[in-house]
Amino acid sequence: MTALILSLAILLLLGTLTIVIRFIRSVKNQTPWLIFCLTLILLIGLNVVLIVQVISPGTSYRPNLIVAIISLGIAAFMFAGLYYISTDLTPLMRSEEQLQTLFDNYPGYLLLKDDQYNYRVVNSAFATFLGKEVDAIIGKTDFDFFPRSQALIFQLEDEQTLLSGNPSTNEHEVRGVDGKIWLEITRTPYTDENIAASALMITAQDITARKVAEISKIKQNRDLITIQDASLALMENLDLSFTIDTVLSWSKKLSGLPDGVVCLVEPDGSS
């Protein structure tokens, strides 16, 4: 009878361990749960030892029925408590599993942060951009993947969006595993019935081609203004020395070089 009760205790402890392992990835702080898993494993081992002592006739100590009942009570209490907790965690896990499926079908970068700015859900495209697995990103923050100066900017923008309750859009040059790209980042406050705290739904689109075109256009406009100013200056003063100085000055502005030389070439090729 004692061995049977201890066996039931082991089954309950194994069931509790299964629940813990199933839900451990859904919590941000995993350390207490890992310690709890270790405790369960030790209790299972202790019950196995007690069973061996019960069925082995030559042992000096044989656990009685009271010890077995106490062990079963502890195992039942742990199982019931974890089962009750699991009923609260299951809707949250289902919600995040559904979000993960939706996120992975999004063509750009899509992620969900909680009110502590931890990544709760990210799509595979964002994980690829960082050169990480999805599971290696969950629970982390921007400080784990970006330079501190940029992570501080991201956190400030996250905080401002959460406080205002309104969507926001910003543009940043961000370095990923394949180099730097320009991203248009849109933050939207998000609340789910299964998530008590506010969260941020964040989308990011690669706008590198657009930014390169914009920068090129700005440079072209600046060069045109430089040429126009040089032409006006030459028209106002036709002195050769002034003309040379003006050409050198504005050539340096156009080329970006620190210095320049002008040579006058005669028709016969001599300078």
Side-chain angles (χ1 to χ4, degrees):
M1 186 67 177
T2 302
L4 177 61
I5 294 176
L6 290 172
S7 298
L8 289 176
I10 290 176
L11 289 176
L12 286 174
L13 289 172
L14 287 172
T16 305
L17 184 61
T18 302
I19 294 174
V20 174
I21 293 174
R22 179 185 175 190
F23 290 103
I24 196 170
R25 290 172 55 188
S26 67
V27 296
K28 293 182 289 184
N29 186 7
Q30 297 181 348
T31 302
W33 292 97
L34 291 173
I35 295 174
F36 187 61
C37 281
L38 181 60
T39 303
L40 289 172
I41 293 172
L42 291 174
L43 287 174
I44 292 171
L46 177 61
N47 279 274
V48 170
V49 171
L50 292 175
I51 290 176
V52 171
Q53 290 177 335
V54 168
I55 63 178
S56 299
T59 56
S60 58
Y61 171 74
R62 295 175 63 85
N64 56 32
L65 186 61
I66 295 177
V67 173
I69 292 174
I70 292 175
S71 180
L72 179 62
I74 293 173
F77 177 78
M78 287 185 170
F79 180 82
L82 262 295
Y83 182 79
Y84 176 77
I85 293 174
S86 71
T87 59
D88 290 334
L89 289 177
T90 298
L92 176 59
M93 287 190 64
R94 288 176 179 171
S95 174
E96 294 191 353
E97 287 173 357
Q98 293 170 355
L99 284 174
Q100 186 67 60
T101 302
L102 292 174
F103 278 30
D104 286 339
N105 290 324
Y106 185 76
Y109 306 131
L110 185 59
L111 47 140
L112 179 70
K113 289 183 182 179
D114 60 24
D115 61 337
Q116 298 300 312
Y117 317 118
N118 299 299
Y119 293 110
R120 291 292 296 273
V121 187
V122 301
N123 68 347
S124 55
F126 184 70
T128 301
F129 170 71
L130 293 179
K132 305 288 184 181
E133 296 293 332
V134 170
D135 291 342
I137 300 174
I138 304 304
K140 303 290 182 63
T141 70
D142 291 322
F143 290 94
D144 296 301
F145 306 107
F146 301 105
R148 179 174 176 78
S149 58
Q150 191 162 53
L152 285 171
I153 294 174
F154 289 158
Q155 183 171 308
L156 177 61
E157 291 173 350
D158 290 344
E159 182 180 3
Q160 290 174 341
T161 303
L162 278 178
L163 290 175
S164 69
N166 299 316
S168 65
T169 300
N170 305 94
E171 295 179 358
H172 292 286
E173 189 177 30
V174 182
R175 180 179 292 278
V177 67
D178 294 325
K180 289 184 177 181
I181 63 172
W182 279 92
L183 292 177
E184 183 180 70
I185 303 172
T186 300
R187 296 171 172 82
T188 304
Y190 171 84
T191 302
D192 183 82
E193 62 181 357
N194 296 316
I195 302 177
S198 298
L200 280 176
M201 185 80 73
I202 301 175
T203 62
Q205 298 290 339
D206 186 346
I207 58 169
T208 304
R210 191 187 82 192
K211 292 296 293 185
V212 169
E214 290 177 357
I215 294 172
S216 177
K217 185 175 181 180
I218 291 172
K219 186 178 183 303
Q220 289 176 359
N221 291 337
R222 186 171 61 244
D223 291 346
L224 288 174
I225 293 173
T226 299
I227 294 172
Q228 183 181 13
D229 291 343
S231 300
L232 291 173
L234 290 173
M235 290 174 63
E236 293 175 356
N237 194 329
L238 299 179
D239 179 71
L240 180 59
S241 176
F242 176 81
T243 300
I244 294 174
D245 290 340
T246 302
V247 170
L248 284 173
S249 174
W250 292 105
S251 295
K252 285 190 284 185
K253 289 185 178 182
L254 286 172
S255 64
L257 298 176
D259 207 348
V261 176
V262 173
C263 294
L264 298 178
V265 181
E266 298 293 341
D268 60 1
S270 60
S271 60

